[in-house]
Amino acid sequence: MVIVLIKTFLRDDADVPAYDALDARMGELVQTIPGFLSAKAYVADDGDRVSIIRFDSEAALLAWRNHPEHLEAQRQGREQFFRAYEIEVCAVTRAYGYPRREG
């Protein structure tokens, strides 16, 4: 399993409704990628945004990363919405819980 952590910082002048619409579209699109497992997003009190996206393999992540519509959304993010972002790609070496939850 591969987990992608994305922390985004919007520009002060960002069109938040336009960003939210683009983000919603990407949320729909990623679900069509074979090997996609789940996505969750959180907004902190200070406005920082964190997304946690899970894929069953590196190949699934690469399919998402290189999807043409996603590449265009990344470009728009850099040009119109983000003042900064941080991405971490993590390989899971162990996962467990009680009781085991799916998703």
Side-chain angles (χ1 to χ4, degrees), residues 13-32:
D13 64 346
D15 181 344
V16 175
Y19 171 77
D20 288 341
L22 181 62
D23 188 51
R25 171 63 187 144
M26 291 302 100
E28 294 169 358
L29 186 62
V30 72
Q31 293 179 45
T32 69

Side-chain angles (χ1 to χ4, degrees), residues 25-72:
R25 171 63 187 144
M26 291 302 100
E28 294 169 358
L29 186 62
V30 72
Q31 293 179 45
T32 69
I33 301 295
F36 165 79
L37 297 175
S38 67
K40 302 245 180 179
Y42 305 91
V43 180
D45 291 339
D46 63 3
D48 289 357
R49 297 164 180 254
V50 176
S51 298
I52 303 168
I53 307 163
R54 298 169 61 230
F55 297 92
D56 70 2
S57 67
E58 181 81 14
L61 167 59
L62 292 176
W64 170 239
R65 188 184 74 183
N66 296 320
H67 188 285
E69 193 173 344
H70 184 223
L71 290 171
E72 174 59 20

Side-chain angles (χ1 to χ4, degrees), residues 1-2 5 8 10 35 38 59 64 66 68-69 77 79 81 83 92 101:
M1 182 182 342
V2 178
L5 303 172
T8 56
L10 294 180
S38 67
W64 170 239
N66 296 320
E69 193 173 344
E79 292 179 4
F81 302 116
R83 67 178 164 80
V92 175
R101 289 180 26 181

Side-chain angles (χ1 to χ4, degrees), residues 1 3 54 92-98 100-101:
M1 182 182 342
I3 298 175
R54 298 169 61 230
V92 175
T93 57
R94 182 180 313 126
Y96 56 92
Y98 179 83
R100 178 76 180 169
R101 289 180 26 181

